[in-house]
Amino acid sequence: MNTFSDSITSIYQPKRLAIKLNSKGEQFVIKGHPWVFSNSIVKVNEDAKTGDLAIIFSKNKNRVIGLGLFDAKSPIRIKMIHNAQTKAVINADFFHTKIEKAYALRQELLTTNTNSYRLIFGENDGFPGLIADVYAKVLVVKLYSEIWLPYLEPIVHSLQQVSNSETVVMRLSRNLQNSNNHNLNDGDVIYGVLEDEVVQFIEHGINFSANVIKGHKTGYFLDHRENRRRVGELSTGKKVLDVFSYAGGFSVHALANGADEVTSLDISKQALDVARDNGRLNDYVGQHKTISGDAFKEMEALIKKAKRYDIVVIDPPSFAKQQSEIELAKKKYAQLAELGEKLTAKNGLLVLASCSSRVLAQSFFDLNQRVLNAQTRLFETILKTKHDIDHPVTFPEGAYLKCGYYRFLE
C-alpha cells in the first residue's frame, strides 16, 4: 500500500527563481497583495516550473521584496507566501508557524460549543490555493493548485498535528484531479481511518453532518455559521423559508431553536435529503417541509399561493464567477430581493446573502436597499454581516460573503 509520501510524485525538486516585476506588480507585492499576474513579470528564469520558489527583487535597488510560489499554468503566475519585511527560510518550520498562527486566530470560535471550523483559508492565511477544514476529528485538505505538491507532506503533517485530527482526507479541484504530477485521488484518506464518509460535527450546539469524500467543496459550507446561529435564535415559534437551503444549515438551526414550521427549498433532491437527515440529528417538534425545484420559479409559485413566512432566508450560490457575469448577477439578486419581500409576512425578517466576490459588499447592500425601497412596505435594515472569524480577510478579493437583515414594519 502506498504511503502519503508515495502519493506525491514530487520527484521534481523545486528550485529558486529570480523574479523582477514592472512597477505596478511591484507595488502590489509591497502592499501585501498575494497575487502576481503573468503580465506583471518582466524577468524570470527560462526553466521556471510550477512549485519553484519565486524570489522577487525590487526593480531598482535589487533587494528582496517578497517570496512566492511559481504557477506555470495560471494567469496568477506567482502566489505570494511571504512579504520581505522579515527574513524567512521556506521549510517545514516556516509552514508550521503559519499554521499555528492561523489556529490561534480561531481560538475564540473554539471556546463555543463548536468543533467544525476552517483552519486555513487560502491566501488569507498565507496558503494561496489551499483550504483546510476540520469536522470534529476529521481534517479535510482541499488543493486548488499544483504549487503545493513539493511542500505538501510537511504541511499536512503540521495541519494534522495543530488541529489534533485523527483522520486526514485529501480533496482535489478539477484541474488537480486531471493532473499527472501526483498519484493522489480526490477523496483519498491519507492519514488515519475514516469509518464513515459522512462525518458528524457540532456548530454552536447544533448537530450536523458532512460527506467529506463526495460532498461539495470539503463537504459543507462553514462560512455562514454565525448567520445560521443568529437566524436560529430568531426563529422560535416562527414560520421560516430557507431558499437555496443546500444541506439545511439555516433550516436546522431554526428547527433546533423551536421554529413552528421550516421549509427548505433547493434544486437538488440529494441536498434536501441531507437537510432532512441533519434535522433528525437534533431534537425538534416543528414541521420540516421540503420543496425541490428552481428557486425563482418555486418562490413565484409560493407567492401565487399567498404563502407568507416570518423569516425568509435567501442564500444563493455565486452568480458571478467571472467579470462578464456581474451585471446579470445583480439582476438576479434584485429579483430575489423582490420575490423575498413578497414572501415575508407582516413584521417579518428577510435575510439576503451573496457569496459572489465580484459583487462588492457595498454594491450588494445598495442594490437590496434600492429594490426594497421600491416596494410599498416600510422596512428597516437591522444588520449587515460578513465573514465569520475562521474566514479572515487580508486582501480585497478575499472578501466574498455578505448578508443583510431587513425587518418589515408592516
Side-chain angles (χ1 to χ4, degrees):
M1 183 174 135
N2 279 357
T3 64
F4 175 45
S5 309
D6 297 328
S7 298
I8 308 169
T9 60
S10 238
I11 311 163
Y12 171 67
Q13 289 302 310
K15 60 183 179 300
R16 295 181 171 200
L17 306 175
I19 308 282
K20 285 202 174 183
L21 308 177
N22 60 23
S23 299
K24 186 178 178 182
E26 192 171 307
Q27 282 307 305
F28 267 75
V29 170
I30 290 168
K31 288 176 182 176
H33 200 284
W35 297 341
V36 175
F37 288 89
S38 56
N39 59 7
S40 294
I41 299 173
V42 295
K43 184 182 176 184
V44 61
N45 307 49
E46 285 183 10
D47 58 345
K49 289 188 171 68
T50 296
D52 283 343
L53 179 63
I55 303 170
I56 301 175
F57 292 89
S58 63
K59 220 169 147 190
N60 301 324
K61 295 180 183 175
N62 235 26
R63 61 183 174 87
V64 176
I65 59 170
L67 304 174
L69 298 179
F70 191 82
D71 191 340
K73 296 180 180 177
S74 170
I76 303 173
R77 197 55 50 88
I78 299 170
K79 275 87 168 175
M80 301 302 297
I81 58 172
H82 185 72
N83 65 44
Q85 291 174 359
T86 57
K87 289 186 177 180
V89 178
I90 308 303
N91 56 17
D93 288 341
F94 170 82
F95 293 120
H96 186 77
T97 301
K98 273 184 178 288
I99 292 165
E100 286 184 320
K101 182 182 174 186
Y103 184 72
L105 288 174
R106 276 81 175 161
Q107 284 310 296
E108 185 183 334
L109 171 64
L110 297 179
T111 60
T112 68
N113 188 9
T114 300
N115 64 3
S116 55
Y117 60 99
R118 174 150 291 180
L119 174 53
I120 296 295
F121 182 33
E123 286 87 340
N124 300 282
D125 286 304
F127 288 86
L130 189 153
I131 296 292
D133 288 345
V134 176
Y135 301 101
K137 287 293 185 179
V138 178
L139 168 72
V140 185
V141 179
K142 180 146 189 182
L143 284 188
Y144 289 89
S145 174
E146 288 185 18
I147 60 173
W148 293 111
L149 292 177
Y151 313 93
L152 199 52
E153 189 174 3
I155 288 172
V156 169
H157 177 71
S158 289
L159 287 168
Q160 180 272 321
Q161 193 178 34
V162 171
S163 65
N164 197 27
S165 299
E166 295 173 358
T167 305
V168 181
V169 175
M170 180 62 65
R171 299 295 302 271
L172 305 174
S173 64
R174 192 169 285 111
N175 66 310
L176 263 292
Q177 289 177 40
N178 296 328
S179 167
N180 296 318
N181 295 329
H182 59 85
N183 293 325
L184 291 166
N185 297 299
D186 184 45
D188 276 351
V189 178
I190 58 174
Y191 180 86
V193 176
L194 187 68
E195 294 178 1
D196 190 334
E197 62 185 39
V198 178
V199 176
Q200 289 190 26
F201 60 93
I202 300 168
E203 178 179 284
H204 289 307
I206 311 298
N207 297 313
F208 282 94
S209 66
N211 189 318
V212 297
I213 302 293
K214 300 191 187 94
H216 194 48
K217 304 284 187 181
T218 65
Y220 192 67
F221 295 99
L222 297 169
D223 49 7
H224 259 306
R225 183 191 302 102
E226 182 62 14
N227 289 315
R228 289 190 287 260
R229 181 195 64 77
R230 187 177 289 109
V231 166
E233 291 176 353
L234 294 169
S235 297
T236 307
K238 301 290 175 59
K239 188 176 176 184
V240 179
L241 174 64
D242 181 7
V243 185
F244 301 101
S245 61
Y246 185 56
F250 287 99
S251 300
V252 175
H253 272 273
L255 288 165
N257 277 277
D260 287 344
E261 177 189 304
V262 175
T263 301
S264 301
L265 194 169
D266 200 276
I267 198 165
S268 166
K269 290 181 180 179
Q270 187 180 11
L272 292 172
D273 288 341
V274 176
R276 282 189 287 267
D277 290 342
N278 280 334
R280 286 190 283 266
L281 293 174
N282 302 274
D283 294 327
Y284 69 89
V285 293
Q287 189 177 7
H288 190 189
K289 299 179 177 181
T290 57
I291 300 172
S292 173
D294 175 85
F296 292 87
K297 292 177 182 176
E298 296 299 337
M299 289 171 78
E300 285 173 352
L302 289 170
I303 291 165
K304 284 178 183 174
K305 292 176 186 174
K307 295 285 186 181
R308 296 293 180 272
Y309 301 85
D310 301 306
I311 298 177
V312 177
V313 179
I314 304 177
D315 177 31
S318 177
F319 287 146
K321 293 192 174 172
Q322 47 198 12
Q323 198 75 17
S324 60
E325 296 173 334
I326 291 176
E327 290 311 309
L328 179 59
K330 288 181 178 178
K331 286 178 184 175
K332 287 182 178 179
Y333 286 128
Q335 193 178 350
L336 289 174
E338 199 170 327
L339 292 168
E341 182 271 331
K342 289 179 171 62
L343 287 165
T344 306
K346 184 179 179 180
N347 299 318
L349 178 69
L350 175 60
V351 180
L352 298 171
S354 164
C355 65
S356 300
S357 61
R358 293 179 185 277
V359 177
L360 300 180
Q362 193 57 53
S363 174
F364 178 68
F365 292 134
D366 287 349
L367 181 152
N368 292 338
Q369 196 82 15
R370 189 170 63 251
V371 171
L372 297 181
N373 278 334
Q375 313 309 309
T376 56
R377 301 162 74 190
L378 290 173
F379 74 97
E380 61 178 344
T381 304
I382 60 172
L383 193 63
K384 295 175 183 177
T385 67
K386 297 183 183 177
H387 295 239
D388 203 354
I389 192 172
D390 58 340
H391 288 67
V393 176
T394 58
F395 71 114
E397 294 87 345
Y400 65 90
L401 188 68
K402 44 267 178 197
C403 190
Y405 292 66
Y406 305 94
R407 173 82 67 191
F408 291 94
L409 306 178
E410 55 184 337

